[in-house]
Amino acid sequence: MTHNERLVVGLVSVSDRASKGVYRDEGIPALKDWLTGAIAAPKWQDETRLIADEQPEIEATLKELVDEKGCHLVLTTGGTGPAKRDVTPEATLAVADKVMPGFGEQMRQISLKFVPTAILSRQVAVIRRQALIINLPGQPKSIKETLEGLRDETGKPLVHGIFAAVPYCIDLIGGPYIETNEAVVKAFRPKSAVHPKR
């Protein structure tokens, strides 16, 4: 893909109460804020959806964003715990062409640095057609931590966030070449896959 292709990112907040207007959704604003700081290029646009914890609705939304809207990356937030209404992972796996287990493993590793209940999280990541779909935690603080990782007081990474691997994954599935703001997160690619800076 060319440097000039626009990146399309789907942002999905899964919440019964927020989707009914009981309280304000915080997931989509947190994702937009973080991505705005993290993605240096190319220009990107978002497709946002606020939906209930219903597996058929989640599946239909993911299919729409990938198959119809052409998203290269879809980030979901919410619905990944062990409660009966938490069905985001099941819906995500149901629409998958390939499962990418490393993302969920790394998110739990990061979150376990803060809370022992992170072991209860069930986030998954999958490939569907030309898109990478990743389930993120529901809380804005946890979203930032899992995407960005953890650093020491000098700024050196202690635990890499999952977004470091996202640009190269999108390269491999035929999407646009993503450059990141290294002050937020440094994208990892093998030297042979790095393009010259624009």
Side-chain angles (χ1 to χ4, degrees), residues 5 29 46 84 102 127 141 171:
E5 184 181 358
D46 61 69
K84 286 184 179 179
I127 304 293
K141 180 176 181 287
D171 292 350

Side-chain angles (χ1 to χ4, degrees), residues 10 12-14 31 62 74-78 88 92 133-137:
V12 182
S13 186
V14 181
L31 287 168
L62 296 177
V74 178
L75 302 176
T76 74
T77 174
T88 303
T92 303
I133 304 173
I134 306 174
N135 300 157
L136 295 170

Side-chain angles (χ1 to χ4, degrees), residues 101-123:
F103 286 97
E105 292 164 5
Q106 184 69 359
M107 283 188 274
R108 283 180 283 278
Q109 180 184 353
I110 294 166
S111 296
L112 279 166
K113 302 284 185 187
F114 298 96
V115 290
T117 51
I119 202 76
L120 304 177
S121 68
R122 302 184 306 114
Q123 291 103 329

Side-chain angles (χ1 to χ4, degrees), residues 102-163:
F103 286 97
E105 292 164 5
Q106 184 69 359
M107 283 188 274
R108 283 180 283 278
Q109 180 184 353
I110 294 166
S111 296
L112 279 166
K113 302 284 185 187
F114 298 96
V115 290
T117 51
I119 202 76
L120 304 177
S121 68
R122 302 184 306 114
Q123 291 103 329
V124 299
V126 304
I127 304 293
R128 178 181 174 86
R129 296 190 177 185
Q130 79 289 344
L132 172 63
I133 304 173
I134 306 174
N135 300 157
L136 295 170
Q139 297 300 316
K141 180 176 181 287
S142 299
I143 290 170
K144 181 179 185 293
E145 289 164 354
T146 54
L147 288 170
E148 196 168 313
L150 310 175
R151 300 171 188 255
D152 65 16
E153 61 278 356
T154 68
K156 181 182 176 183
L158 295 171
V159 182
H160 289 285
I162 62 163
F163 203 84

Side-chain angles (χ1 to χ4, degrees), residues 52-83:
D53 277 294
E54 297 286 353
Q55 185 167 341
E57 186 173 359
I58 301 167
E59 289 181 27
T61 299
L62 296 177
K63 288 177 181 177
E64 178 215 0
L65 289 172
V66 175
D67 303 355
E68 298 173 29
K69 300 298 181 182
C71 289
H72 305 100
L73 174 65
V74 178
L75 302 176
T76 74
T77 174
T80 60

Side-chain angles (χ1 to χ4, degrees), residues 20-41:
K20 292 175 182 172
V22 175
Y23 61 71
R24 181 177 167 273
D25 171 61
E26 295 183 345
I28 290 173
L31 287 168
K32 281 187 180 182
D33 286 348
W34 191 87
L35 290 168
T36 298
I39 297 175

